[in-house]
Coordinates of all heavy atoms in Angstrom, one line a residue:
T26 N 114.0 38.5 -22.4 CA 115.1 39.6 -22.5 C 115.3 40.3 -21.1 O 116.4 40.2 -20.7 CB 114.6 40.7 -23.5 OG1 113.4 41.2 -23.1 CG2 114.4 40.1 -24.9
T27 N 114.3 40.7 -20.5 CA 114.6 41.4 -19.2 C 115.3 40.5 -18.3 O 116.3 40.9 -17.6 CB 113.3 41.9 -18.5 OG1 112.5 42.4 -19.5 CG2 113.5 42.9 -17.4
F65 N 99.6 69.1 -12.8 CA 98.9 70.1 -13.6 C 97.7 70.6 -12.8 O 97.4 71.8 -12.8 CB 98.4 69.3 -14.9 CG 97.6 70.3 -15.8 CD1 98.4 71.3 -16.5 CD2 96.3 70.2 -16.0 CE1 97.7 72.2 -17.4 CE2 95.6 71.1 -16.9 CZ 96.4 72.1 -17.6
Y152 N 115.8 44.9 5.8 CA 115.1 43.8 6.5 C 113.7 44.2 7.1 O 113.7 45.2 7.9 CB 116.0 43.3 7.6 CG 117.3 42.7 7.1 CD1 118.5 43.5 7.1 CD2 117.4 41.3 6.7 CE1 119.6 42.9 6.6 CE2 118.5 40.8 6.2 CZ 119.7 41.6 6.2 OH 120.8 41.0 5.7
G227 N 89.9 50.2 -10.1 CA 89.0 50.7 -11.1 C 89.2 52.2 -11.3 O 88.2 52.9 -11.6
S492 N 77.2 38.6 -7.7 CA 76.1 38.0 -8.4 C 74.7 38.4 -7.9 O 73.7 38.4 -8.6 CB 76.2 36.4 -8.4 OG 75.8 35.9 -7.2
A600 N 106.1 37.5 18.4 CA 106.4 38.2 19.7 C 107.5 39.1 19.4 O 108.5 38.7 18.6 CB 106.7 37.2 20.8
S767 N 83.5 34.9 32.7 CA 82.7 35.5 31.6 C 83.2 34.9 30.3 O 82.3 34.6 29.4 CB 82.9 36.9 31.7 OG 82.2 37.6 30.7

Side-chain angles (χ1 to χ4, degrees):
T26 62
T27 316
F65 185 71
Y152 296 93
S492 76
S767 173

